[in-house]
Amino acid sequence: MNVLTISGITKHYGAITALKNVSFSVPEGSVYGILGPNGSGKTTLLGIVTDALRPSAGTYKFFDGSKPVNEIRKDMGVLLETPNFYPYLSAYQNLDIVAKIKGCDTAEIPDVLKKVNLFYRQRSSFKTYSLGMKQRLGIAATLLGNPKIVILDEPTNGLDPEGISEIRQLIKQLAKEGKTVILASHLLDEVEKVCTHVAILKKGELLTAGDISGALSKEEQTPTTVPKSKEKAMIEVVAGDLENLAGVLKTLTGVLDITVDEDVITIVHYTDELTPQQVNKHCFDNGIVLNRLIAKNKNLESKFLELTK
Amino acid sequence: MLHLLSIEFLKLQRNRSFLILTLLFVISIFGINYIILEIVKNIYINDKITFSNVWEFVPYATSYLLVIPGFIMIMHTCSEYTYRTHRQNVIDGLSRNQYVTTKILFIIILALFSTIATIITTLITGISLGIDISFESFRYIYYFFVQATTYISFAFLFALLFKKTGLTIGLFFVYSLIIENILEKYINQIHIGIDKIGEFLPLSSSEHLLMPDTIQTVMKIANIGNANSEYAYLIMSIIYIGLCYLTCYYRYEKQDL
């Protein structure tokens, strides 16, 4: 069953079109990543499904659409863009307001504060919090009332490395509990590590959507000579003289396409027979000693860059 | 309804500006009436003032202080825009209508509070003058409540329209103190069967409603006295309050938060 179905959503801000006819659906129990560069419309899309923004066209529904949307929002934890709280109230008092709106037990407040390591500061007013602590409180608020759906918009904003890894654990934990998580991010690493599904937006247009392996292979324009198993792999090589190295690599049979960056050469496409050992030997035979040779998975990042180019 | 109000009071529980302004408002009500009392004492001989006069005068004088609850309402509404909690409340599960209803309930509580403070001040004033208590002309207290509700409601509408505290305060006070009075003067010159139709502008209606006979005698010199019946002002004021709330609901329903 789909938790959320988005159909043909368009949003204009004056002359700017922030979303163009976006449609996809989020299956129950998935961790759905919404990816896109800055300004691609991720927050606008989440703002629309949480009723903060009005779509110019299109509709959305939660489950079968029979329950009033604001009742569904009470059973949803949402952190949209920035954590919004009353600055002069303490963490506890702020969560008290959220709990009252959601109609959940205030006895849960200490528990969610402990989950994000803010319990010791629960009596301090929100304005005294650091950026990371504010973000943690925002995440605590999304956990109130044990929601079925959690929507997190850039949840690791302003967090330290420890905080980022805690959020990752938290998302995995939520998924394990059977909750549906919708995660918007421009941090591909974040999405890749936790998501089961992904939708990629660029300038308001949906480029691809679906489960992570499917969405990534769709529209893949690799030469047919490259077998499926190698589709996601690439080899990075670095040597003292990159120009020379590029010339030598082109002469190696099996290499189909390379990209030359400032400090690294990547063999993007190559035939099945080519192995990293062969690359190494070929270079050495041609008088080049490699500083680095890495066989890498063609990850979400390269796919993302390719799609949003 | 009580649930919505309890959320509103949780928001204000430690809001220092709100608490201080409310306190200042109460002090000002006592203050302005004390000053007037001192002046009146010297003009009139005590036995000429009846309790009925006090019920007329105190609400009228106090109505000039309604700028303070108007200011409180603007500050409270605009600060929610500043903190973006107006959108967070909706995201967390309030419907947009509930959000506006909460604010309207708060307006009524604020108007009731002002009215009760006025009743207490009237009683204290009358008693300190040594007059026997009577409730003749108590209707001016109801009229005061209507004016307070109108004034604070329009302050809320301005806040919803303009969102920024400074801008809203500027526009609302310029409108209520200057623009509407000028408009009233010009519209009064239009003759369509009703005398002084400019008196029926949104804020003017309730101002005229609260204008006691004794004040009108003075005001007639400046051609400001009431030309229409109390009931006409009352009905218009209630219509305006209704229209104001409808606009607020409509505006909040359509707005991007």
Side-chain angles (χ1 to χ4, degrees):
Chain A
M1 186 179 170
N2 286 330
V3 167
L4 170 64
T5 312
I6 296 169
S7 343
I9 289 211
T10 298
K11 175 72 184 172
H12 304 288
Y13 291 112
I16 296 157
T17 305
L19 289 173
K20 283 176 214 155
N21 196 19
V22 172
S23 308
F24 64 90
S25 43
V26 178
E28 193 163 14
S30 62
V31 180
Y32 210 110
I34 298 177
L35 270 177
N38 296 332
S40 56
K42 304 184 293 287
T43 302
T44 303
L45 183 66
L46 295 181
I48 287 171
V49 300
T50 52
D51 199 30
L53 303 173
R54 288 283 184 231
S56 309
T59 55
Y60 64 91
K61 64 172 186 189
F62 285 97
F63 302 102
D64 58 0
S66 58
K67 227 173 154 191
V69 198
N70 78 301
E71 289 305 318
I72 288 179
R73 284 203 304 279
K74 286 182 183 166
D75 205 12
M76 236 160 84
V78 182
L79 173 64
L80 192 63
E81 218 169 7
T82 47
N84 303 317
F85 293 102
Y86 297 90
Y88 49 86
L89 294 180
S90 70
Y92 186 91
Q93 289 165 326
N94 269 302
L95 292 191
D96 195 10
I97 292 175
V98 179
K100 287 255 161 52
I101 292 176
K102 290 194 175 300
C104 66
D105 195 353
T106 47
E108 286 180 28
I109 298 174
D111 294 338
V112 298
L113 282 171
K114 277 174 195 159
K115 271 191 191 163
V116 296
N117 291 328
L118 275 182
F119 185 67
Y120 74 108
R121 286 288 299 273
Q122 62 165 334
R123 303 266 166 233
S124 315
S125 62
F126 179 68
K127 61 171 178 264
T128 64
Y129 279 19
S130 72
L131 182 62
M133 291 166 77
K134 287 178 176 167
Q135 192 72 9
R136 283 164 187 264
L137 185 61
I139 288 157
T142 65
L143 301 176
L144 272 179
N146 197 24
K148 283 200 201 79
I149 309 166
V150 180
I151 296 183
L152 300 168
D153 183 11
E154 310 282 1
T156 53
N157 252 359
L159 292 184
D160 51 22
E162 199 190 340
I164 292 174
S165 121
E166 282 166 18
I167 294 302
R168 201 168 285 152
Q169 289 311 313
L170 182 73
I171 294 171
K172 283 182 178 164
Q173 181 60 36
L174 291 172
K176 214 182 276 173
E177 290 166 17
K179 299 182 195 312
T180 309
V181 183
I182 301 174
L183 173 73
S185 183
H186 59 267
L187 301 173
L188 303 144
D189 186 43
E190 196 172 284
V191 170
E192 198 174 20
K193 281 187 176 134
V194 295
C195 290
T196 58
H197 292 68
V198 67
I200 300 182
L201 284 172
K202 180 200 171 189
K203 287 183 186 157
E205 275 179 279
L206 185 69
L207 298 177
T208 178
D211 68 86
I212 208 153
S213 53
L216 292 182
S217 59
K218 217 194 285 179
E219 293 171 32
E220 183 80 282
Q221 285 167 3
T222 43
T224 42
T225 45
V226 180
K228 229 25 188 170
S229 59
K230 281 283 178 84
E231 205 177 57
K232 286 185 182 177
M234 48 191 189
I235 301 170
E236 263 182 32
V237 275
V238 178
D241 184 355
L242 282 185
E243 222 171 285
N244 197 6
L245 175 62
V248 166
L249 281 175
K250 278 174 188 160
T251 65
L252 176 61
T253 37
V255 174
L256 297 175
D257 189 13
I258 63 170
T259 57
V260 185
D261 292 321
E262 224 169 282
D263 50 1
V264 64
I265 292 179
T266 313
I267 307 173
V268 208
H269 296 143
Y270 51 92
T271 56
D272 209 7
E273 291 74 37
L274 190 71
T275 62
Q277 289 94 315
Q278 286 173 338
V279 176
N280 196 4
K281 186 168 181 301
H282 178 74
C283 292
F284 192 78
D285 289 347
N286 285 281
I288 296 173
V289 181
L290 295 176
N291 294 340
R292 197 167 93 205
L293 174 69
I294 308 167
K296 258 180 122 176
N297 271 337
K298 183 167 181 180
N299 58 4
L300 194 52
E301 180 167 339
S302 58
K303 178 68 194 176
F304 176 74
L305 291 175
E306 203 173 281
L307 276 171
T308 57
K309 227 186 280 176
Chain B
M1 246 165 49
L2 277 178
H3 176 68
L4 292 178
L5 263 182
S6 75
I7 294 172
E8 205 63 9
F9 282 102
L10 277 180
K11 293 177 189 173
L12 290 164
Q13 57 184 334
R14 278 211 309 193
N15 188 330
R16 241 176 251 142
S17 328
F18 167 72
L19 297 173
I20 292 173
L21 279 170
T22 310
L23 187 68
L24 279 179
F25 178 49
V26 175
I27 294 171
S28 307
I29 295 177
F30 292 128
I32 198 169
N33 286 293
Y34 178 74
I35 295 167
I36 293 172
L37 184 65
E38 287 303 301
I39 298 168
V40 171
K41 258 185 185 171
N42 294 330
I43 300 171
Y44 287 88
I45 306 158
N46 272 0
D47 59 8
K48 271 191 171 176
I49 304 177
T50 64
F51 218 106
S52 166
N53 293 140
V54 185
W55 286 121
E56 290 174 2
F57 266 113
V58 174
Y60 181 75
T62 308
S63 74
Y64 283 95
L65 296 173
L66 284 176
V67 289
I68 303 175
F71 181 78
I72 290 174
M73 193 65 215
I74 291 175
M75 206 189 58
H76 178 47
T77 309
C78 292
S79 72
E80 296 236 39
Y81 279 104
T82 312
Y83 309 145
R84 295 170 75 88
T85 43
H86 73 292
R87 104 192 265 201
Q88 193 62 44
N89 285 176
V90 170
I91 289 171
D92 286 338
L94 280 190
S95 72
R96 289 173 179 230
N97 278 346
Q98 279 175 327
Y99 183 85
V100 177
T101 305
T102 311
K103 288 282 181 281
I104 292 174
L105 290 173
F106 179 67
I107 291 171
I108 291 167
I109 296 288
L110 210 53
L112 266 180
F113 176 83
S114 314
T115 309
I116 291 167
T118 308
I119 295 174
I120 294 170
T121 313
T122 312
L123 289 172
I124 293 174
T125 310
I127 291 166
S128 73
L129 282 168
I131 320 168
D132 289 338
I133 294 182
S134 102
F135 288 93
E136 202 196 326
S137 295
F138 187 77
R139 66 177 190 285
Y140 283 98
I141 290 293
Y142 300 133
Y143 297 165
F144 176 83
F145 176 70
V146 172
Q147 197 192 350
T149 309
T150 311
Y151 200 80
I152 304 168
S153 301
F154 274 87
F156 173 54
L157 176 63
F158 269 66
L160 278 193
L161 292 175
F162 302 108
K163 299 180 186 175
K164 291 193 174 67
T165 318
L167 181 69
T168 308
I169 288 173
L171 288 171
F172 182 65
F173 292 137
V174 168
Y175 176 77
S176 67
L177 298 173
I178 298 165
I179 296 179
E180 203 176 287
N181 289 322
I182 295 174
L183 278 179
E184 184 180 340
K185 227 174 150 47
Y186 279 101
I187 296 176
N188 273 343
Q189 291 163 3
I190 304 169
H191 296 288
I192 50 156
I194 304 166
D195 269 351
K196 291 191 176 175
I197 195 162
E199 288 182 346
F200 292 115
L201 283 169
L203 299 177
S204 307
S205 299
S206 60
E207 271 168 33
H208 284 282
L209 176 64
L210 196 60
M211 209 177 268
D213 296 339
T214 25
I215 294 288
Q216 283 185 54
T217 323
V218 183
M219 293 293 206
K220 282 217 168 85
I221 303 163
N223 197 24
I224 309 181
N226 291 356
N228 296 287
S229 79
E230 276 176 17
Y231 295 110
Y233 298 127
L234 184 61
I235 290 166
M236 283 312 286
S237 300
I238 290 168
I239 290 174
Y240 278 124
I241 293 172
L243 284 177
C244 176
Y245 292 163
L246 283 180
T247 317
C248 292
Y249 278 118
Y250 180 80
R251 169 75 180 162
Y252 206 68
E253 193 60 34
K254 295 288 163 213
Q255 204 167 49
D256 272 342
L257 302 181

